[in-house]
Amino acid sequence: MRDWLLYLTIAGLLAFAVSSWWGVRRLKAKHTRRAVWEETHRPEPGNQRVAVVMNPIKARSAEARRLIEAACARAGWEAPRFFETTASDPGFSQARAALESGADVVLVGGGDGTVRVVAEVLAGTGTAMALIPLGTGNLLARNIHLEVNDLSGNVHAALFGHQRFIDSARMRVENDRTGESAEHVFLVIAGIGMDAEVVRDTNDGLKKAVGWLAYTEAGVRHLPGRRKKVSIALDDLPAQSRKIRSVLFANCGLVPGGIDFIPQAMIDDGMLDVVVMSPRSAIGWVAMSTKIVFKHKRTLPVMTYYRSGKVTIRCTEPMPTQIDGDTSGRATKVTVQIDPASLLIRVKDGIDQV
């Protein structure tokens, strides 16, 4: 019986991945209006001072640099200033230096981690951030509908596109066993529980070989497991006790493969979309996968949705956490809060964004 359930689960997950790949463009078109709510506007005309925070070890980083330099030269602007991340500093001091240089726009050449770090520095400053996606997931780039493999097109959008404000979110991670605490900005999806285990245990070599599909393999390995008891408090309401496998906090919901994981999540609505997943068995996982793939609106007891400006999770034993696909430590308490319209970001021309 257990083998049958395992095979059924694997088949469901494979169908999920194939369906996601097959429907990427259709889902992207359906998601566009929901994920981009505010109308875009053009930057101030005239010369721009351009700074670039670049992860130099990413594939195509040298090509991106050449394209940015050439585009600025053609526009008659001063040469862009480049600030390269290092193993010891993923972009914090580089983003601060870019701001201090008087940049009108800070381009981020790297993956989701670099984007998140630069956003943490730029949020609330009014200085525009633009994306040159060079990573595996490129989560925010997908949610503002950049073609992640079109390097030249992304450079053009970063320098000459429109711009708009989006929400960011902060997650404070506390561990009462170790006394450690930290606060992180995220832009797409953070979580606690199984999703963080999958992020932590995804094989790096497999990720380089097959990209985001590597997470499916790690997900199958983590399907067995017990639910854990947590308390969940939304805004200022009393806490409720739940047994969960994972809780996700979404600022927006489009993930690799064109999967519109949380269709109701909008990037500028000033709210978090919270998903509590609590399957007891393989059947529950299959039901959840089916709901996501086929966009069923029917409520599932093992997958509940909430909307809130602030969420607090407490657990009796430390649980792993993740932010935009990066691990962020184990926590006995997480506090997540939305920061509405805090980040100015460059997007493609407005005609593609409404």
Side-chain angles (χ1 to χ4, degrees), residues 37-312:
W37 190 261
E38 175 195 314
E39 291 187 8
T40 63
H41 59 276
R42 291 186 180 278
E44 292 294 326
N47 294 345
Q48 293 187 80
R49 292 185 298 276
V50 178
V52 185
V53 177
M54 182 76 75
N55 184 341
I57 69 170
K58 291 293 185 181
R60 305 188 75 184
S61 61
E63 181 185 358
R65 180 172 185 140
R66 290 193 297 270
L67 288 171
I68 294 166
E69 290 174 331
C72 289
R74 286 194 302 270
W77 301 345
E78 63 183 76
R81 296 191 62 181
F82 286 83
F83 303 88
E84 293 189 345
T85 65
T86 65
S88 60
D89 188 338
F92 289 107
S93 64
Q94 293 86 347
R96 287 191 288 268
L99 273 179
E100 292 168 1
S101 74
D104 298 301
V105 59
V106 179
L107 278 60
V108 186
D112 294 315
T114 309
V115 169
R116 183 179 54 76
V117 166
V118 175
E120 185 165 335
V121 175
L122 296 185
T125 67
T127 298
M129 183 175 82
L131 306 185
I132 309 297
L134 302 175
T136 301
N138 301 308
L139 295 175
L140 181 62
R142 296 173 192 274
N143 277 275
I144 61 172
H145 307 293
L146 297 179
E147 294 289 346
V148 296
N149 296 314
D150 181 7
L151 185 56
S152 179
N154 291 330
V155 169
H156 184 273
L159 296 174
F160 309 112
H162 288 204
Q163 56 192 28
R164 60 187 299 271
F165 284 96
I166 65 171
D167 302 336
S168 62
R170 293 180 179 270
M171 181 165 76
R172 183 168 182 79
V173 178
E174 301 175 55
N175 188 330
D176 64 11
R177 302 287 179 86
T178 64
E180 297 176 328
S181 65
E183 187 170 89
H184 309 279
V185 165
F186 69 93
L187 301 170
V188 183
I189 298 178
I192 181 170
M194 178 184 162
D195 62 296
E197 295 172 349
V198 171
V199 168
R200 180 192 63 200
D201 294 338
T202 296
N203 183 280
D204 289 336
L206 187 61
K207 189 160 62 171
K208 289 179 180 178
V210 301
W212 62 270
L213 285 173
Y215 292 106
T216 302
E217 183 273 337
V220 170
R221 284 191 282 115
H222 280 280
L223 284 177
R226 63 183 180 88
R227 299 186 302 167
K228 296 180 180 179
K229 188 174 182 179
V230 303
S231 71
I232 304 174
L234 305 175
D235 291 322
D236 297 320
L237 297 176
Q240 55 177 293
S241 180
R242 297 288 301 271
K243 288 186 176 180
I244 61 99
R245 289 297 307 277
S246 186
V247 180
L248 298 177
F249 317 99
N251 186 34
C252 46
L254 193 64
V255 296
I259 306 167
D260 201 351
F261 190 77
I262 308 172
Q264 64 270 35
M266 292 183 287
I267 204 168
D268 60 358
D269 62 354
M271 298 292 286
L272 290 165
D273 288 83
V274 183
V275 185
V276 179
M277 297 185 290
S278 54
R280 295 183 179 181
S281 65
I283 293 175
W285 287 115
V286 171
M288 287 168 48
S289 298
T290 302
K291 176 180 174 65
I292 294 168
V293 170
F294 296 103
K295 308 298 176 188
H296 289 322
K297 295 182 179 180
R298 183 178 300 174
T299 301
L300 289 178
V302 296
M303 190 176 190
T304 51
Y305 296 83
Y306 305 92
R307 286 171 59 77
S308 179
K310 179 181 178 181
V311 186
T312 302

